[in-house]
Amino acid sequence: MLKFYYSGAPNPMKVALCLEEMGLQYEAIPVDTRKSEQHTPGYLAINPNAKLPAIVDGDAVVFDSNAILLYLAEKTGKFLPGKGDKLRGELLSWLMFVASGVGPFAGQAVHFRAYAPEKIPYAINRYMYEAQRHFGILEARLAKQKYMVGDAYGIVDMAVWGWARLIPNALGEEFWAKFPNLKRLVDEVSARPAAARANELRTKHKFKAEFDDEAKRAMFKHLEVQVA
Ligand SMILES: N[C@@H](CCC(=O)N[C@@H](CS)C(=O)NCC(=O)O)C(=O)O
């Protein structure tokens, strides 16, 4: 059975949504990043980047959330736009845009606002600006069309859901007002039974809740070394 290595964070949750949407059987294996389980030799053999999610499907090992979404869509033939170069090109562009822009900038915005030991106004301003700019690009797209690619719900919408539903945490509650179409998509996806099952999954395993020194050491390795 397909093994899904996960935590309750945004990137693993979009894959949980995808697995549920596709009706695939899978074994969910919790990896507690606050207890440093992502750095064990066993997990590093699956994902050398020491991050969640990853899957093992027979002899295929796939890490990086959007790569997994594409792998699963190609495996099942589900939630991909119709055939044709135009839609295929759009799918790849938006999938990479979410992976390389939306996720990292939103992640850094949260880091510098909430977790950095010093509040650095320059860093907070840069990442808040970039996170909002990226969400703004999604908003403009969704103002023109119901779903991100073509005219049907697909894996790019799942990738967007993973991050956009955290806008109140990442940017602040008031930012929903700036992104009404993004909110429309998030609400629609969150109301799907697969999203409810994905959210329920993380309640089945106990993840460490405290963000104490052990958790900081596990997730912020740079705190212990000076490289610059
Ligand atoms: N590009 C990767 C990023 C994965 C990632 O950053 N995962 C976070 C959770 S959203 C994680 O595992 N964090 C634990 C850590 O940084 O130690 C992907 O899309 O899967």
Side-chain angles (χ1 to χ4, degrees), residues 123-136:
I124 294 171
N125 193 52
R126 169 170 165 74
Y127 287 111
M128 284 292 279
Y129 175 85
E130 284 295 336
Q132 286 175 55
R133 192 178 69 78
H134 281 79
F135 283 126

Side-chain angles (χ1 to χ4, degrees), residues 7-15 31-34 36 38-39 43 47 49-54 63-68 98-100 103-104 163 215 218-221:
S7 71
N11 287 311
M13 289 314 288
K14 50 181 149 147
V15 172
V31 178
D32 199 327
T33 54
R34 294 187 179 188
S36 215
Q38 71 274 41
H39 301 292
Y43 187 68
N47 185 351
N49 191 29
K51 308 264 180 206
L52 281 303
F63 63 86
D64 256 63
S65 54
N66 286 13
I68 299 172
V98 175
S100 65
W163 281 103
M219 297 180 71
F220 301 156
K221 290 279 192 197

Side-chain angles (χ1 to χ4, degrees), residues 88-175:
R88 181 74 181 168
E90 288 182 15
L91 171 93
L92 291 172
S93 291
W94 288 106
L95 208 50
M96 302 301 158
F97 173 77
V98 175
S100 65
V102 175
F105 280 108
Q108 295 302 315
V110 174
H111 181 83
F112 283 106
R113 276 181 77 217
Y115 294 109
E118 310 151 60
K119 295 279 169 268
I120 307 165
Y122 175 85
I124 294 171
N125 193 52
R126 169 170 165 74
Y127 287 111
M128 284 292 279
Y129 175 85
E130 284 295 336
Q132 286 175 55
R133 192 178 69 78
H134 281 79
F135 283 126
I137 292 168
L138 297 178
E139 170 64 23
R141 175 83 170 172
L142 291 167
K144 289 191 302 205
Q145 56 188 74
K146 189 168 181 211
Y147 297 111
M148 285 300 299
V149 179
D151 56 8
Y153 170 58
I155 55 170
V156 178
D157 303 298
M158 298 176 200
V160 167
W161 176 82
W163 281 103
R165 71 199 186 115
L166 297 176
I167 280 178
N169 299 1
L171 306 181
E173 192 70 49
E174 69 280 12
F175 280 90

